[in-house]
Amino acid sequence: EVQLVETGGGLVQPGRSLKLSCVASGFTFNNYWMSWTRQAPGKGLEWVASITNSGGSTYYPDSVKGRFTISRDNAQNTLYLQMNSLRSEDTATYYCTRDFRGAWDYWGQGVMVTVSS
Amino acid sequence: DIQMTQSPASLSASLGETVSIECLASEGISNDLAWYQQKSGKSPQLLIYAASRLQDGVPSRFSGSGSGTRYSLKISGMQPEDEADYFCQQSYKYPRTFGGGTKLELK
């Protein structure tokens, strides 16, 4: 059974940093691109970052480029999202997702990040 | 960026009714379109990928169609468990973008 389990969320002040982790199981992690997607409270979905299966290439929207870094440890079956210079508009539930033919076929349960003073 | 305009924003359907939700892309996306269902308090679930391919385990009453810039999701026979938010998403270009969502309620 495929499982994606995110950790690392919480309350953080504006301008500070936070690192999310996602432990994957039930599939061959290093065969798949992985991504992070977020959802602000009561709002729609926003793609945040993607990484190739080897980790050699990464992709970001302009809203987080230069502040967020996606990475992975294939030996540990773990995906990461380093978030720096956090802003109030980064407040959201962050989902770890597995890429499948351009879509995301498995989603974690989500982890809440609240940016507030 | 490719804008995805989803309609309607909300709708209400009776048990057994056929429902359609549409997504209009700001440019052609070559069938690189997915549909997701999100029930209250839960993570999104993939329903359709590549515009018309049904994800494993998804009931056959769900179907996707379209081409170019216009795509639709059809639910043939509304069931109580279909009450949820639905989102379309394009993967033709970066940044990946979503439609604004459709809230589907049972009448």
Side-chain angles (χ1 to χ4, degrees):
Chain A
E1 178 194 6
V2 171
Q3 284 198 322
L4 301 170
V5 179
E6 304 100 333
T7 57
L11 174 63
V12 62
Q13 293 179 328
R16 303 298 290 264
S17 299
L18 203 62
K19 187 172 185 176
L20 305 182
S21 300
C22 169
V23 176
S25 60
F27 65 102
T28 305
F29 184 66
N30 61 14
N31 282 353
Y32 289 86
W33 289 36
M34 299 291 294
S35 298
W36 292 93
T37 297
R38 68 185 180 185
Q39 187 171 35
K43 302 295 185 183
L45 297 164
E46 180 187 16
W47 167 70
V48 171
S50 293
I51 187 168
T52 56
N53 56 318
S54 67
S57 293
T58 56
Y59 305 85
Y60 306 93
D62 287 346
S63 59
V64 308
K65 194 176 295 182
R67 300 189 299 123
F68 289 12
T69 302
I70 187 172
S71 62
R72 64 192 297 162
D73 182 342
N74 284 345
Q76 298 294 325
N77 288 353
T78 303
L79 179 72
Y80 301 102
L81 184 67
Q82 176 68 47
M83 303 183 293
N84 298 333
S85 303
L86 282 161
R87 307 167 179 168
S88 57
E89 55 264 37
D90 296 318
T91 293
T93 296
Y94 286 73
Y95 296 101
C96 167
T97 60
R98 189 180 83 166
D99 287 28
F100 172 69
R101 298 188 60 176
W104 296 304
D105 62 346
Y106 284 93
W107 297 61
Q109 84 284 357
V111 62
M112 185 67 199
V113 172
T114 303
V115 183
S116 175
S117 54
Chain B
D1 297 2
I2 297 177
Q3 306 302 317
M4 302 300 294
T5 303
Q6 190 172 335
S7 62
S10 65
L11 78 157
S12 183
S14 302
L15 197 65
E17 183 178 346
T18 293
V19 171
S20 283
I21 298 168
E22 297 197 343
C23 252
L24 177 65
S26 59
E27 62 183 87
I29 57 172
S30 194
N31 288 2
D32 289 334
L33 184 101
W35 291 96
Y36 301 88
Q37 176 193 67
Q38 186 178 30
K39 295 182 180 179
S40 181
K42 301 293 188 182
S43 302
Q45 176 187 352
L46 178 64
L47 298 175
I48 301 284
Y49 63 96
S52 61
R53 294 183 180 243
L54 192 68
Q55 174 66 355
D56 289 348
V58 174
S60 59
R61 62 180 179 275
F62 291 92
S63 63
S65 64
S67 63
T69 62
R70 292 184 176 272
Y71 298 86
S72 63
L73 172 71
K74 186 166 75 172
I75 306 173
S76 299
M78 174 77 178
Q79 298 299 307
E81 60 266 31
D82 299 336
E83 197 170 68
D85 294 328
Y86 293 83
F87 297 92
C88 62
Q89 172 246 327
Q90 67 81 21
S91 57
Y92 184 66
K93 282 185 181 178
Y94 285 103
R96 305 295 194 231
T97 47
F98 289 89
T102 296
K103 187 174 197 64
L104 174 60
E105 294 179 329
L106 183 64
K107 198 179 293 182

